[in-house]
Amino acid sequence: MWTSARILAAAIACLTLAAAETASAEAWPTRAIRIVVSTPPGGITDAFARAYGDYISQKLGQPVIVENKTGASGALAAQLVKDSSPDGYTLMYTISSTLLGNRLLLKSLAYDPDKDFTIVAMTPSGHLPLVVHSAANAKTLEEFVAYARRNKVTAGSYGIGSFAHIAIAELNRQFGLDISIVHYRGEAPMWQDFAAGVIQAAVGSYQAALPVLDTGVGRPIAVPTPVRMKKLPETRTFVEQGVTGNVFQLTSFTALVAPAATPADRIDLLAKLMVEGGKTERVQKLLEAFGVDSPAMDRASSVALYAKEGPVWLESIKTLGLEPQ
């Protein structure tokens, strides 16, 4: 009996220890979380990662470290995160082209956007208005189309396969125009050339376009999505001006994603904190500065948006006839 009692006590002790170890293993997070950003410091994606990351850190009681990993249109960051342990400690904040456009623009992709990642939260990156140089004297899309039919027009795009590229190509197609598209490495040089009169039109973010908007050199004449932009309430949407193609109703977004096998409870918690973080003063000020109308979306809405608009993005890029690089 004494031996049986000792065995029973030892067994109970082992079970208690195992339960404690299991609970400890399931506790999350117990160390720093890393957010890998696929764009350089200073832009909206990086700013979002840091602002939302700080809120997540405060709520979870662990540091959130933001690491910028640029190159190959986001593919380097994607591969790094794909190859990391799916435990919720390594996440990626990226732009739409990493998840969508790269499938068509890169010959070799070391990750599968749909199989290798799961969406935590979409963060809309704001309207991308079509801005026309004051020399064109166009106040509406109709007036700009008429101007482009009479004159040689060059428009700026902040990247091959970007929304700017798609939008201008779609205008050419819908109205039978011959607008030349110049691709820049980002928005800063594009708006500099716009201010100098090198290009007559451009599509880009409100915040980056502010220098030409504030001086009156540029005039916004149309914004995508069916709802007007809060910062430009007088500027009608493409839809309001009779251009109802799916391209002009797309939502430009950045996104927080995790490796696909990350536990669902951790994904759900992070998604919840993203929505909460979007209501904080810091994030609201950031949205105001960048001219973005909406904070982080809840997970169900994020997944639904990606499923609905992803195919439209891909089909729009296909129509550009680009050769994968």
Side-chain angles (χ1 to χ4, degrees):
M1 291 293 294
W2 181 83
T3 303
S4 297
R6 290 192 62 181
I7 292 172
L8 179 60
I12 291 172
C14 288
L15 288 171
T16 302
L17 180 60
E21 289 178 345
T22 299
S24 176
E26 291 177 351
W28 181 87
T30 57
R31 54 185 171 86
I33 295 171
R34 178 172 60 155
I35 299 179
V36 180
V37 180
S38 66
T39 59
I44 189 171
T45 310
D46 177 73
F48 276 173
R50 294 177 190 279
Y52 283 104
D54 279 352
Y55 182 78
I56 291 171
S57 174
Q58 292 170 24
K59 300 304 285 188
L60 296 183
Q62 294 291 341
V64 172
I65 300 168
V66 174
E67 174 188 335
N68 300 88
K69 182 73 173 178
T70 61
S73 301
L76 295 184
Q79 184 171 358
L80 186 157
V81 175
K82 169 207 163 185
D83 293 340
S84 65
S85 297
D87 50 18
Y89 286 104
T90 303
L91 311 168
M92 176 171 66
Y93 220 123
T94 191
I95 57 178
S96 58
S97 61
T98 306
L99 302 175
L100 296 168
N102 281 359
R103 316 176 194 212
L104 303 174
L105 300 176
L106 300 180
K107 285 183 179 179
S108 177
L109 205 58
Y111 64 95
D112 185 312
D114 295 331
K115 294 180 179 179
D116 293 333
F117 302 105
T118 187
I119 293 171
V120 177
M122 292 285 201
T123 43
S125 51
H127 295 74
L128 298 173
L130 169 61
V131 181
V132 176
H133 200 282
S134 58
N137 197 31
K139 298 179 181 179
T140 65
L141 189 58
E142 182 181 9
E143 291 176 356
F144 174 63
V145 169
Y147 176 83
R149 285 186 173 134
R150 298 191 310 266
N151 301 273
K152 178 61 179 174
V153 173
T154 302
S157 155
Y158 51 84
I160 295 174
S162 65
F163 174 78
H165 186 182
I166 293 169
I168 299 165
E170 189 64 21
L171 288 177
N172 277 341
R173 188 161 35 251
Q174 288 194 25
F175 293 101
L177 303 177
D178 188 26
I179 299 174
S180 298
I181 305 174
V182 177
H183 300 291
Y184 292 85
R185 291 182 179 275
E187 289 198 64
M190 179 181 78
W191 292 117
Q192 288 171 5
D193 271 7
F194 183 99
V198 176
I199 56 177
Q200 294 76 48
V203 174
S205 65
Y206 169 81
Q207 193 263 353
L210 267 180
V212 302
L213 297 178
D214 286 345
T215 59
V217 172
R219 178 184 290 122
I221 64 168
V223 293
T225 81
V227 181
R228 291 194 188 189
M229 182 178 176
K230 292 178 182 177
K231 284 283 191 180
L232 301 172
E234 302 302 317
T235 304
R236 292 187 293 164
T237 66
F238 283 97
V239 174
E240 287 179 293
Q241 298 181 71
V243 182
T244 57
N246 289 336
V247 168
F248 299 106
Q249 300 183 53
L250 290 170
T251 302
S252 180
F253 66 84
T254 54
L256 180 67
V257 303
T262 302
D265 59 338
R266 299 179 187 184
I267 295 295
D268 290 340
L269 176 56
L270 287 167
K272 174 177 173 287
L273 294 178
M274 288 291 289
V275 173
E276 290 180 8
K279 300 173 184 176
T280 62
E281 182 179 1
R282 177 176 176 180
V283 172
Q284 287 294 314
K285 286 183 176 179
L286 192 62
L287 297 175
E288 173 74 13
F290 279 95
V292 178
D293 293 344
S294 304
M297 302 167 62
D298 63 63
R299 187 156 188 264
S301 299
S302 297
V303 172
L305 176 71
Y306 186 73
K308 176 185 176 183
E309 297 196 0
V312 179
W313 279 102
L314 293 172
E315 186 57 36
S316 299
I317 295 171
K318 283 180 184 177
T319 64
L320 299 174
L322 300 172
E323 285 292 328
Q325 300 298 310

